[in-house]
Amino acid sequence: MFANRLQKNLKQLGKWARREGVECYRLYDAEAVAEYEKVRQAEPDNQDALLLLGALDNISVVIRNTLFLLWTPDELRGRVSAVNSVFISLSNQMGSFESGTVAQFFGPIFSVVSGGVGTILVVIIVALVWPEIRRLERLSPKGE
């Protein structure tokens, strides 16, 4: 149902996008979201998974923001906050674009799997390049 709605939107919007020279657009609409809601309600286990993922994401946001506030020197906090805000705001859109592009060329399964592998690789690289992040024990500024 949901996939059919997205395919219908792709067919309709694809013609419009080619005619108008639009390269990026969203496929979902109110009806597609309603279809997703039906799918989600039909699979009660998915609700638990979505709730857990949402809670874990909120915890990671709190930890990241706490570290940002505590570890950034006062004189740089405004500049660092501005750059952080731009990257956080941009990350969802860039991630969606990247995932959609990979899915378009290689298929949705490859897109999901490569995204997961890429995330794990980034975590490993950060752990190797900045080993002090691995040694964080508490959320307090250095020297306290």
Side-chain angles (χ1 to χ4, degrees):
M1 290 183 274
F2 182 62
N4 292 341
R5 180 66 189 175
L6 293 180
Q7 287 176 342
K8 178 182 174 187
N9 288 353
L10 176 62
K11 185 176 180 182
Q12 290 175 345
L13 291 172
K15 292 175 185 176
W16 164 82
R18 284 187 294 280
R19 185 176 62 247
E20 298 295 324
V22 175
E23 295 180 11
C24 186
Y25 54 92
R26 67 181 170 95
L27 290 177
Y28 63 90
D29 56 11
E31 290 179 33
V33 172
E35 291 294 331
Y36 171 76
E37 184 64 22
K38 290 177 190 173
V39 171
R40 189 182 64 78
Q41 288 176 357
E43 301 281 340
D45 293 341
N46 290 348
Q47 290 177 323
D48 295 338
L50 289 172
L51 179 67
L52 177 63
L53 289 173
L56 293 174
D57 183 50
N58 281 325
I59 291 169
S60 75
V61 167
V62 169
I63 290 172
R64 185 175 58 244
N65 286 333
T66 302
L67 286 172
F68 161 73
L69 289 172
L70 293 174
W71 286 54
T72 303
D74 289 339
E75 63 275 8
L76 296 177
R77 194 165 290 141
R79 290 182 188 115
V80 173
S81 177
V83 171
N84 183 54
S85 176
V86 168
F87 277 95
I88 294 299
S89 299
L90 184 66
S91 66
N92 289 335
Q93 286 75 21
M94 288 299 294
S96 295
F97 175 75
E98 179 270 336
S99 297
T101 302
V102 171
Q104 177 69 33
F105 289 108
F106 303 105
I109 293 174
F110 182 83
S111 179
V112 170
V113 172
S114 65
V117 170
T119 300
I120 292 169
L121 289 174
V122 167
V123 169
I124 291 170
I125 290 168
V126 167
L128 293 173
V129 173
W130 294 286
E132 61 271 14
I133 290 178
R134 290 182 291 150
R135 293 190 288 272
L136 288 176
E137 293 181 8
R138 56 194 176 109
L139 299 178
S140 62
K142 293 179 182 177
E144 285 188 16

